[in-house]
Amino acid sequence: MGLSSINQMVGLASIAFACSGSVHVYAQMDSGRDTAAFEEIIVTATKRAVNVRDVPITITAVTEQQMQQQHITEIADLAAAIPNVVMPEGGSANTAPIIRGVMSNTRNAGVESGVSVYVDGVYTGRPETFNQALEDASSVELLQGPQGTLFGKNSIAGAISVNTNDPTNDLSLRVSGEYGNYDHQRLSGTVNVPIVDGLAAGRISAFREKRDGHVKNLGTGPDLGSRDGYGVRAKFLLTPSDNWRAVLAFDYNKEDSIPYMGENLLGREATSPPPKPIVAPGPYTVSLNPRNQLDRELWGTSLTLEMEPFDGYNLTSITAYRRNTYRIQGDEDSSVRNEIFIDWSDAQSQFSQEIRLRSPDENRFKFVMGLYYFAQDSDTAHIGGLGPDFIIPGLIAPGTTKVIVPQGEVDTRSYATYLDASFDITDRIILLGGLRITHEKKNVMFSVQTDPGALPLFYDIPMQRDVQKQTDFSPTVGLRFELSETVNSYIRLSRGYKSGGWNMDFVSRGPGGAPTIQSLAFKPEKVTNYEAGIKGDLLDKRLRINLSAYYMTYDDMQVTQFFGFAGGAVTSNAASATIKGFGGDFSALLAPGLRIGGSLGYNDASYDKYQNVNSAGDDASGNRLPGPKWTAEGNASYDFALPGELGALSLWAQVSYRGAAFGDVLNQPRLATAARTIVNSSIVFTPANEHFTLALWARNLFDKRYFTSLSSDQFAFPGTLEEIATYAEPRTYGVTLTAQF
């Protein structure tokens, strides 16, 4: 997009929007104002269109233009510039964000995530769905802290909301081709078609992506880290009148990849007796048999209806169905020997219905109230295998494959009603309040099928059933103070919760006999968040700030304790924590086209109480939670016209810092990841006719080598100090050519 197009865009006096329950971000500027000023950022995180500075939440808005400039193509790419947020950087499809130190261990269907992800107002489901492609996305919002009032359950750490472009009444076509290192290839396109002028329009986008692996496999299998996927999104818009509209949407994504799930740091074979042979020396190097494979299929459809039943009021209905399947196979023994492997399959189908009424924006008392129904059926079968080369003398004999299969179903039915409101006490002081009441019922069936040859290590458990019923009240209350026309501050108290469940995992043998499904159950966990912030524009809208501080109490934490093969892994509400910190970002417009910005986050998260974390009875009370204490980022961009009416050039660079973090609850230094600093950059050329753009981009420009995680695998390497390391992706770079008409 050329500079003239950008100026035309930000010069619009008004932009139409549809508040369908997802978050919209777009630029808007008063037509009479000097163009050397920041554009207004309008969001609908509170289900109504307001300036981002008026939203009393720690919120980061990423626009479509920013995603193009920074080469953000999926949700995992977002974390580089957001304070106190960390996402995996190894290319995993199962993205587990850490927000303010809150991370969920969601390795089985009985455990929920503490972060919720929405696309066009629809909850996407379990963490396997989180890292979606952002094809034709108009904006992404990341809200930190519990979002129980408007976004519901399982948003105890925060919520990520993605909005995609709706059809318009203009005929347009965009085609993009991309090529990069590791033979990265990506082709995408979007076409928008007016069907009946002013009445109906359609929009369809699609992409195809392939990339070779970046981790060399010295064994018999392919290199790891390859990607192969495609997707399509279609929308149909009907606007029969000025106060009635409908959007029918469909999306489909398919991925077949060779996942990289870490490597033994010393490149040793797992179960051979000492001295264990070195089979894969060096980073980004493994020696595995051809077993690693990831298959993921996501699809869904939704119907959003909006109308004005009477002047200024908006009634919205969102009806949605989604189906997700996920299968991952992996070689777990760090060698070409057939000793340990996994083959995990998960599937979810879900239906949701939301009906929401929003009051007029002009009222002194404003509210959003609604009803929400959610039904999800999850099926799981996690195969753990002991191959023919696995042996424990006198206990496990070699020669045959032995499997252990925890499997079951979790059926969830959730009902909620909510109210989010504000009252203008004066022109500058606004009282905030809200409440969400959720009632949830979960039914589970669970069994473990264990081959006889593996019974010395694992139980065989017949099918068992259990039920949980939970009712939660998540309130919020606060005040917003308008310090000036362009600066606001707020204080806020909010609560959130994450559902209880069951530890539907491998159950190793212990002295007390096989556990029942009831003994594997755990309760919900809850967070109370105290937050204050200030945000706004200064210096005639040439400086933008967004600052917040918080104090959170985290109760009944769902933690997993490993008691060895004599006691197994137990998930319970065994911990509590206190989290406090601050975060903020700024942007400054130094001259027309020249911008600098940055962010800084500090997060002090520690366990108040966490005893008996393992079979040795160790105490983790006082230790740090996952995630770094410090995160920071700095960026600069410069847009300028080339001489002779050749066009325009846009330069952008970013320095991203993430502090050191511990990889286990005991805060062992050997499992701590060091601090890292990486650089991302892009150069975009737009000719004068603006019909195409040519972009050069690079992530991790200086090829920084660092760990994203370190863990100790006590199954593959029992009783040893072996570490399993996951390296971040090395430098990736490429060129993107986009044509648009």
Side-chain angles (χ1 to χ4, degrees):
M1 178 177 291
L3 292 178
S4 62
S5 291
I6 295 174
N7 290 335
Q8 291 172 11
M9 177 180 294
V10 299
L12 295 176
S14 61
I15 298 178
F17 73 96
C19 187
S20 59
S22 56
V23 178
H24 301 240
V25 181
Y26 50 82
Q28 177 178 320
M29 181 175 290
D30 295 335
S31 58
R33 182 173 292 275
D34 179 10
T35 56
F38 279 118
E39 65 274 10
E40 303 287 347
I41 300 298
I42 307 299
V43 299
T44 59
T46 54
K47 314 303 183 187
R48 66 174 70 242
V50 295
N51 194 298
V52 68
R53 65 173 173 259
D54 297 332
V55 179
I57 300 171
T58 301
I59 179 174
T60 301
V62 183
T63 67
E64 185 173 12
Q65 290 75 25
Q66 289 174 316
M67 286 186 277
Q68 294 170 357
Q69 180 188 57
Q70 301 174 26
H71 195 251
I72 294 174
T73 61
E74 60 185 16
I75 288 178
D77 296 335
L78 294 168
I82 303 176
N84 296 322
V85 175
V86 175
M87 294 187 187
E89 298 174 281
S92 172
N94 188 358
T95 302
I98 303 175
I99 302 178
R100 297 181 177 177
V102 180
M103 182 183 73
S104 302
N105 179 17
T106 55
R107 55 176 271 146
N108 67 72
V111 184
E112 303 281 1
S113 170
V115 177
S116 56
V117 175
Y118 292 79
V119 177
D120 290 334
V122 177
Y123 180 56
T124 64
R126 291 190 52 77
E128 293 85 359
T129 70
F130 284 2
N131 196 24
Q132 298 196 21
L134 295 174
E135 187 66 27
D136 203 29
S138 61
S139 64
V140 181
E141 292 279 340
L142 197 151
L143 296 79
Q144 297 189 38
Q147 306 298 324
T149 305
L150 288 173
F151 287 93
K153 73 183 186 74
N154 299 339
S155 59
I156 195 169
I160 301 172
S161 189
V162 179
N163 181 66
T164 64
N165 287 300
D166 282 343
T168 68
N169 287 313
D170 299 318
L171 178 63
S172 63
L173 172 66
R174 179 189 60 82
V175 179
S176 180
E178 187 170 284
Y179 187 79
N181 60 334
Y182 299 105
D183 198 26
H184 167 75
Q185 305 169 46
R186 197 175 198 274
L187 181 66
S188 63
T190 301
V191 59
N192 189 97
V193 179
I195 301 172
V196 179
D197 188 36
L199 177 63
R203 187 181 184 94
I204 185 169
S205 61
F207 74 93
R208 179 74 170 90
E209 180 180 29
K210 295 184 67 176
R211 199 195 81 170
D212 291 343
H214 64 282
V215 178
K216 183 65 178 177
N217 187 3
L218 303 179
T220 57
D223 293 344
L224 309 185
S226 69
R227 307 189 68 172
D228 188 350
Y230 60 92
V232 62
R233 182 180 305 278
K235 283 187 171 183
F236 174 76
L237 171 68
L238 182 66
T239 53
S241 67
D242 292 339
N243 61 358
W244 196 94
R245 72 193 304 269
V247 178
L248 178 65
F250 172 82
D251 67 273
Y252 178 86
N253 280 268
K254 182 74 166 65
E255 179 182 359
D256 299 303
S257 302
I258 309 299
Y260 170 53
M261 298 181 290
E263 56 194 86
N264 178 259
L265 190 57
L266 300 180
R268 292 180 177 178
E269 202 169 85
T271 56
S272 297
K276 299 178 186 293
I278 300 294
V279 295
Y284 301 111
T285 308
V286 296
S287 183
L288 305 177
N289 51 33
R291 189 181 294 275
N292 284 35
Q293 180 68 37
L294 184 148
D295 301 294
R296 188 172 64 141
E297 186 178 48
L298 318 173
W299 70 270
T301 184
S302 65
L303 176 63
T304 301
L305 302 174
E306 293 188 73
M307 63 192 73
E308 289 189 9
F310 27 90
D311 289 345
Y313 286 84
N314 178 277
L315 183 65
T316 301
S317 168
I318 304 177
T319 307
Y321 175 83
R322 297 202 62 83
R323 172 73 178 175
N324 310 310
T325 60
Y326 180 88
R327 183 184 182 188
I328 187 167
Q329 304 171 76
D331 185 348
E332 298 286 296
D333 52 47
S334 300
S335 75
V336 294
R337 292 164 60 87
N338 193 349
E339 295 175 320
I340 308 170
F341 64 89
I342 62 169
D343 187 348
W344 294 0
S345 296
D346 293 276
Q348 302 90 39
S349 59
Q350 61 188 61
F351 171 82
S352 61
Q353 174 64 58
E354 182 173 8
I355 299 175
R356 181 173 64 242
L357 178 66
R358 187 182 76 237
S359 66
D361 296 341
E362 299 79 15
N363 286 7
R364 190 175 180 183
F365 174 69
K366 292 181 281 289
F367 66 85
V368 176
M369 59 188 303
L371 301 171
Y372 184 74
Y373 171 73
F374 177 74
Q376 178 176 266
D377 298 329
S378 298
D379 300 316
T380 182
H382 284 191
I383 298 173
L386 307 178
D389 297 329
F390 184 90
I391 179 174
I392 299 179
L395 196 63
I396 302 294
T400 61
T401 296
K402 297 162 279 288
V403 298
I404 307 94
V405 190
Q407 59 185 330
E409 301 176 9
V410 180
D411 297 338
T412 302
R413 301 295 182 266
S414 180
Y415 309 83
T417 181
Y418 62 88
L419 170 69
D420 189 82
S422 66
F423 179 74
D424 298 347
I425 300 175
T426 70
D427 291 341
R428 293 183 176 271
I429 302 176
I430 296 94
L431 176 65
L432 311 170
L435 175 68
R436 190 182 190 103
I437 303 174
T438 303
H439 178 73
E440 187 171 76
K441 181 179 179 181
K442 285 185 170 183
N443 290 280
V444 65
M445 295 192 302
F446 177 66
S447 68
V448 181
Q449 297 181 6
T450 303
D451 285 347
L455 286 175
L457 291 179
F458 297 93
Y459 284 113
D460 186 86
I461 301 176
M463 184 66 69
Q464 301 179 17
R465 300 174 183 268
D466 195 22
V467 61
Q468 290 193 30
K469 296 181 180 180
Q470 305 162 7
T471 300
D472 176 78
F473 299 84
S474 294
T476 183
V477 64
L479 287 172
R480 180 164 66 87
F481 306 88
E482 294 186 0
L483 302 179
S484 71
E485 182 181 349
T486 60
V487 179
N488 278 292
S489 64
Y490 68 91
I491 56 174
R492 189 182 190 102
L493 164 67
S494 58
R495 294 198 64 188
Y497 93 108
K498 189 179 78 172
S499 302
W502 301 266
N503 185 32
M504 301 169 61
D505 218 316
F506 298 94
V507 182
S508 53
R509 298 191 72 87
T516 64
I517 187 61
Q518 289 78 15
S519 68
L520 298 174
F522 49 86
K523 302 182 300 182
E525 61 181 19
K526 298 183 178 182
V527 161
T528 302
N529 176 52
Y530 307 86
E531 185 173 318
I534 183 171
K535 56 179 71 177
D537 297 330
L538 303 169
L539 303 180
D540 200 22
K541 295 190 176 181
R542 288 173 171 81
L543 174 64
R544 174 166 292 166
I545 60 170
N546 179 17
L547 307 172
S548 64
Y550 53 87
Y551 181 90
M552 301 167 61
T553 57
Y554 198 172
D555 299 317
D556 293 323
M557 293 179 64
Q558 299 166 5
V559 292
T560 300
Q561 301 148 282
F562 185 68
F563 296 107
F565 290 110
V570 177
T571 300
S572 63
N573 304 92
S576 60
T578 298
I579 303 170
K580 53 185 180 293
F582 62 84
D585 59 73
F586 82 96
S587 298
L589 185 59
L590 303 183
L594 178 60
R595 303 186 182 196
I596 63 170
S599 66
L600 178 67
Y602 173 78
N603 189 71
D604 182 7
S606 59
Y607 295 104
D608 297 328
K609 179 182 178 182
Y610 189 4
Q611 300 173 334
N612 298 317
V613 301
N614 53 28
S615 57
D618 288 329
D619 189 346
S621 302
N623 288 356
R624 280 171 51 185
L625 270 68
K629 273 193 175 182
W630 291 98
T631 53
E633 179 261 355
N635 65 82
S637 64
Y638 184 40
D639 304 331
F640 60 94
L642 296 173
E645 298 185 354
L646 293 176
L649 206 61
S650 176
L651 310 179
W652 171 80
Q654 176 192 62
V655 179
S656 174
Y657 172 83
R658 189 188 68 197
F662 289 108
D664 72 322
V665 298
L666 294 179
N667 290 180
Q668 300 178 76
R670 71 182 184 90
L671 298 180
T673 55
R676 66 96 170 120
T677 301
I678 61 172
V679 176
N680 305 315
S681 63
S682 71
I683 303 174
V684 181
F685 167 69
T686 305
N689 62 20
E690 300 181 350
H691 286 318
F692 73 90
T693 59
L694 181 66
L696 302 176
W697 50 267
R699 301 185 70 85
N700 192 8
L701 178 64
F702 296 107
D703 203 19
K704 178 74 173 180
R705 182 179 297 169
Y706 59 97
F707 299 129
T708 63
S709 68
L710 279 169
S711 61
S712 181
D713 189 339
Q714 288 300 304
F715 184 80
F717 301 91
T720 71
L721 297 180
E722 305 285 351
E723 289 96 18
I724 300 300
T726 303
Y727 289 91
E729 288 189 343
R731 174 174 52 223
T732 55
Y733 56 88
V735 57
T736 304
L737 177 63
T738 302
Q740 48 196 5
F741 307 94

